[in-house]
Structure formats: C-alpha cells, structure tokens
Amino acid sequence: MTAFFTRLPAKFGAACALSASLCLGLAVSVQAQDTYTKTKYPIVLVHGLFGFDSIGPADYFYGVPSALTRGGARVVVPSTSAANTSEVRGEQLLAQLRALRAANGTQKFNLIGHSHGAQTVRYVAAVEPALVASVLTVGGVNGGSKVADAVLAGTSATGTTPAVAAIVDAFASVISFLSGEPKLPQNSFGALSSLTTAGAANFNRRFPQAVPSVSCGQGAAQVNGIRYYSASGTRVLTNILDVTDPLLGLTGVLFGFEASDGLVSRCSSHLGTTLRDNYDWNHLDEVNQAFGLRGLFSQDPVAFYRSHANRLKTLGL
Ligand code: CA
C-alpha cells in the first residue's frame, strides 16, 4: 500500500488555483511498511518560531515524517512564516489545508504543532473546526513564555525593540530562504508579542478551545468534535554534543525553579488532555533536534509521535 508525504510550499493555495494537477503532483508516494500509524486523516506537522518545513534533507520534526509515513500515515509538512503572529501563521496554515482539501478531497486533518505551532494549529481548529479531527501541541506556548516576556521587557527598557526586531526579521528571512520560502512575510515583533504571557492570554481569551480553566489543570478533552492533546518536556541540558543546548541553558535560567523545557514551562504547555508534561526532553528534543541528539536515557521523540498516531488510528481518526 502507498501513502503520501507532502511538503507544501507557502503559495500552495495560489498554485492549486492555477492547476489542480500541480497540487496532486506534490504528493510523493512512499511505500508503507506497516499500518501502526495508518490514521484515517493526514497528519500535519507545524513548526514553531524560527522553524521551517525542511532545510535541505533536514526535517524540522527530525525523522518524524518518514517514520509516520512508513507506518502508513499520510503526512503533510506545511510552510508558515518562521516568525509572525499566531493569527498570520494560522491563516497561512488554513489556506494550505483548504487548498489540500480542494485538491485531494481530504475532509479533515490531524494537526500537530510544536512551540508557536501550538497557536497556529489552535487557530485553524477554532476558525474552521470542520477541517480538523484532532490537535496535539508539543512544547506548546499555550500559556506564553517567560523568555518572550524577558526579551520584550529587556528590549523595551533599552529602547532597542525596533533594532532587535529588524535583526531577528533578517534571521527569520534567512531561515525561510534556506527552506525555499523566501517570500514568507516575517514579523518578529508580532511573533514575540504573541508569545509573551500577556499575548498568549489574549489569544486564549479569543480562542479558548481546550485551554485549562485553572492554571496547570487539564483542558477539555474534546471541543467542537475535535480532540485536544498536549505534551512537553522538562529538561534543559540533555546532550553535551548538541550545540543548541547552551542556548536553552541560557533561556532556561529565566524559569528559576519552575519546571520547563528551556523555553516553555510545564504548566504553560497544558492544553486539552495532557498526555505527559515531564518527558526528559528540552524544547528542541521535543522535535528530535538537533539531528536526534538528546539525553542518553530519554524517551525517543519519534516513538512518541508514532504512538500518538496509533492513538488517533485506534480512535478512528
Ligand atoms: Ca537536543
């Protein structure tokens, strides 16, 4: 049996309007080896801040798309701005999923968002619930991040916010360029504002689906027929060989004694049914980065995504 693994260019919607065959041509057939992850609906993997669909051979969700595809899942890796507001990124994802539905007749999708990808998938689930079967946020910035709070406070106090935003916009543009999407709009200040505690609270007031009613509680398991899940890690320094660890070590200091993955606190990650909120992962281990480097005895992130796909499959999703 075959399954598809699709990388969507940002202008997917426009391309489909020109040619449905172009849309279908984007699907790459891969032979499935078993049916463990053979969900009814495609699985959509949505990256976070400064994320990308892929740069060269490196997937953002490192090794995950191919693992899910081998188990029979259809996987979609969309392109959204590396840095932008939750709403802009959400609209970008929505347009690509609508285009995919029009081209392939896919009625629903299982959405998985990492980091700022949480708000991105939640936006789509709130605005067009008929398009969504399930939502999973991993290291989701659902309650905001103290790191964003500190960056905003620090740059505001020194009057450097515009300068820092310009530098970060340029950095985000480089990421989008490397991932083959040079035209995606970047708005680092917008991204930062979305990710602060206040910004996330504002988003939660407007899109409250499956947000816990009490701090660190569980959210509704199901809203508008959509199942909501979350998971996160609570380690910071996990692998001495991983060049991203020192950076997370730096940002992790901002959390003091509060459990976090270096960028998002344990409680901030909660949404819907919390599958587990203390994996031995830091923020990048959650997507098996960099290049699979994580703690020696930590859980395998790829196995986690496979297990979640199997959960969805068992539920008929
Ligand atoms: Ca790592």
Side-chain angles (χ1 to χ4, degrees):
M1 72 196 65
T2 58
F4 72 65
F5 169 19
T6 309
R7 289 184 203 286
L8 299 182
K11 297 300 178 192
F12 184 67
C16 286
L18 292 171
S19 166
S21 60
L22 176 59
C23 298
L24 295 170
L26 289 168
V28 178
S29 289
V30 176
Q31 200 72 28
Q33 292 174 355
D34 63 65
T35 61
Y36 183 71
T37 59
K38 193 175 190 305
T39 53
K40 179 178 178 183
Y41 302 113
I43 295 173
V44 183
L45 299 171
V46 180
H47 65 73
L49 180 66
F50 301 138
F52 49 88
D53 50 353
S54 64
I55 293 179
D59 293 314
Y60 178 88
F61 288 80
Y62 188 70
V64 176
S66 54
L68 294 179
T69 303
R70 275 196 303 276
R74 290 171 293 163
V75 177
V76 177
V77 183
S79 301
T80 59
S81 291
N84 218 312
T85 63
S86 302
E87 291 81 357
V88 166
R89 285 167 46 95
E91 282 292 329
Q92 291 171 345
L93 176 61
L94 184 57
Q96 291 170 67
L97 296 182
R98 281 176 176 159
L100 202 55
R101 176 175 59 187
N104 293 350
T106 308
Q107 292 305 306
K108 286 177 188 279
F109 297 89
N110 291 306
L111 306 182
I112 299 179
H114 174 245
S115 194
H116 196 189
Q119 276 89 344
T120 314
V121 300
R122 287 174 52 200
Y123 178 90
V124 171
V127 171
E128 196 158 333
L131 202 54
V132 181
S134 72
V135 163
L136 165 66
T137 69
V138 183
V141 200
N142 294 310
S145 169
K146 283 184 176 175
V147 177
D149 294 346
V151 172
L152 188 62
T155 53
S156 298
T158 54
T160 53
T161 305
V164 171
I167 293 166
V168 178
D169 278 349
F171 176 64
S173 296
V174 168
I175 290 172
S176 287
F177 176 77
L178 289 173
S179 64
E181 303 291 347
K183 289 182 179 160
L184 283 172
Q186 307 301 340
N187 176 2
S188 299
F189 183 71
L192 184 64
S193 302
S194 289
L195 294 170
T196 59
T197 303
N202 181 294
F203 184 87
N204 290 345
R205 275 192 293 277
R206 290 177 291 128
F207 306 103
Q209 291 82 1
V211 173
S213 55
V214 294
S215 177
C216 221
Q218 297 253 343
Q222 203 166 339
V223 184
N224 291 331
I226 301 168
R227 287 177 189 272
Y228 282 84
Y229 304 93
S230 58
S232 65
T234 47
R235 293 289 179 126
V236 177
L237 300 172
T238 60
N239 190 310
I240 197 168
L241 298 176
D242 192 332
V243 294
T244 62
D245 273 38
L247 184 63
L248 291 172
L250 216 55
T251 56
V253 169
L254 291 166
F255 292 91
F257 291 109
E258 187 180 8
S260 83
D261 64 7
L263 281 175
V264 179
S265 74
R266 181 177 70 84
C267 294
S268 175
S269 74
H270 282 205
L271 182 81
T273 301
T274 301
L275 298 172
R276 182 171 170 179
D277 62 4
N278 64 347
Y279 281 103
D280 294 320
W281 300 331
N282 64 31
H283 198 64
L284 290 170
D285 294 337
E286 289 161 357
V287 286
N288 202 28
Q289 293 284 6
F291 309 110
L293 290 173
R294 55 186 166 85
L296 191 57
F297 301 109
S298 67
Q299 304 81 5
D300 179 2
V302 176
F304 163 79
Y305 289 101
R306 270 175 50 82
S307 166
H308 184 63
N310 183 258
R311 176 181 294 113
L312 300 174
K313 175 194 167 185
T314 305
L315 289 168
L317 303 176

